[in-house]
Amino acid sequence: MGEPAVVVQLPVKRPVRKRRKKPPQNIDGIKYFTENQIKLIRKTVRDKANLDHAKANVTGIREWMAIDLITSTGLRVAEASDLCCGDIRCGYGQSEIYVRDGKGGKARTVQIPASLKKHLSHFLKWKEERGEGVSYDDHLFIGQRGPWTTQAVQQLVKKHLKVLGLYESGKSVHALRHSYAVQLYRQKRDLRAVQKQLGHASIQTTQIYADVTSEDIQDQIKGIW
């Protein structure tokens, strides 16, 4: 008798399950600071800048410029640290910042308020008076070791949050971007405007900011009975 035939079982192909797209989070799923907390952060850093200016110390001046920039535009930390002087468009009839290389390599223009336009104009003049380059490709933020990195911006934000007792894990510089988006949406309830300012590719990403915030609820429940 011959040897029994060997039966080879081929692996059964299982159907590939498609991952369901996650629905947009509500606002409870992101970390952000309240309006009063942002105002406190801004005032604290601005006051420090005024003291440093009186002492001819440059640290506070640069840090206040960075905090004002991020909280007034919602720029990503990498976009803020990569900003060059030529990206500031504060001429007559202009109030905007050009982001050369945003997320996904996409460029965009971000509108800025008059207060930030004035601050940026003064900061550029201050840089020039110090002998720092202000040409098109010169970085806006320069330290002793050269242009600021994303880590440098993250650390300065973390430092001030710790001083104010507002720091917690996962709630730092990116939370400032979320805070800007929340407040911008509350102004006019215009999701498209928020999407353009933040540089979101899809309106679905922006949708999280359309949820009701705890501040909105507090305003509505005041004196309910």
Side-chain angles (χ1 to χ4, degrees):
M1 295 180 63
E3 294 182 2
V6 177
V7 179
V8 179
Q9 291 185 340
L10 297 175
V12 179
K13 289 186 177 180
R14 295 182 179 179
V16 178
R17 293 183 180 180
K18 292 183 179 180
R19 290 185 178 180
R20 293 181 180 179
K21 290 184 178 180
K22 292 182 180 179
Q25 293 176 300
N26 60 27
I27 206 148
D28 293 330
I30 63 172
K31 294 186 177 182
Y32 67 98
F33 297 100
T34 66
E35 180 181 356
N36 286 335
Q37 287 173 331
I38 290 294
K39 287 180 177 179
L40 175 62
I41 294 167
R42 287 173 55 84
K43 182 181 184 303
T44 301
V45 183
R46 183 175 60 244
D47 289 348
K48 177 66 165 55
N50 289 335
L51 287 174
D52 279 4
H53 187 270
K55 299 176 181 178
N57 190 338
V58 302
T59 302
I61 296 172
R62 290 192 179 116
E63 291 186 349
W64 166 228
M65 183 72 262
I67 292 294
D68 190 15
L69 176 69
I70 295 173
T71 56
S72 297
T73 63
L75 289 182
R76 298 178 179 91
V77 62
E79 294 170 346
S81 60
D82 289 344
L83 209 61
C84 292
C85 297
D87 303 329
I88 311 301
R89 299 174 177 177
C90 294
Y92 182 76
Q94 292 181 305
S95 298
E96 58 191 32
I97 287 173
Y98 179 64
V99 177
R100 302 187 193 187
D101 187 18
K103 190 173 182 179
K106 294 182 179 180
R108 77 180 187 282
T109 300
V110 178
Q111 301 302 312
I112 62 175
S115 58
L116 179 60
K117 174 182 177 177
K118 184 177 180 181
H119 190 182
L120 282 166
S121 296
H122 287 168
F123 187 74
L124 288 173
K125 185 178 179 181
W126 174 79
K127 279 173 63 69
E128 190 172 18
E129 290 173 348
R130 282 182 44 81
E132 294 183 13
V134 291
S135 63
Y136 186 79
D137 289 321
D138 286 322
H139 280 80
L140 184 67
F141 297 111
I142 299 287
Q144 293 181 344
R145 299 179 181 179
W148 278 10
T149 62
T150 55
Q151 290 78 14
V153 179
Q154 289 168 343
Q155 287 303 313
L156 82 87
V157 172
K158 184 176 179 179
K159 176 183 70 175
H160 288 291
L161 292 180
K162 283 188 171 182
V163 169
L164 294 171
L166 295 175
Y167 177 77
E168 59 183 80
S169 180
K171 189 176 181 180
S172 189
V173 66
H174 201 68
L176 297 182
R177 175 174 164 84
H178 287 316
S179 306
Y180 169 82
V182 169
Q183 190 60 26
L184 180 60
Y185 178 74
R186 293 181 74 197
Q187 297 295 315
K188 298 288 184 179
R189 308 286 171 176
D190 187 343
L191 270 180
R192 177 59 179 155
V194 179
Q195 180 190 11
K196 289 191 69 175
Q197 285 290 94
L198 295 189
H200 288 162
S202 170
I203 196 71
Q204 292 298 315
T205 306
T206 319
Q207 191 71 36
I208 58 173
Y209 303 113
D211 196 14
V212 179
T213 68
S214 57
E215 291 172 289
D216 292 330
I217 296 174
Q218 284 293 335
D219 287 340
Q220 293 180 42
I221 64 177
K222 284 179 182 176
I224 192 169
W225 299 124

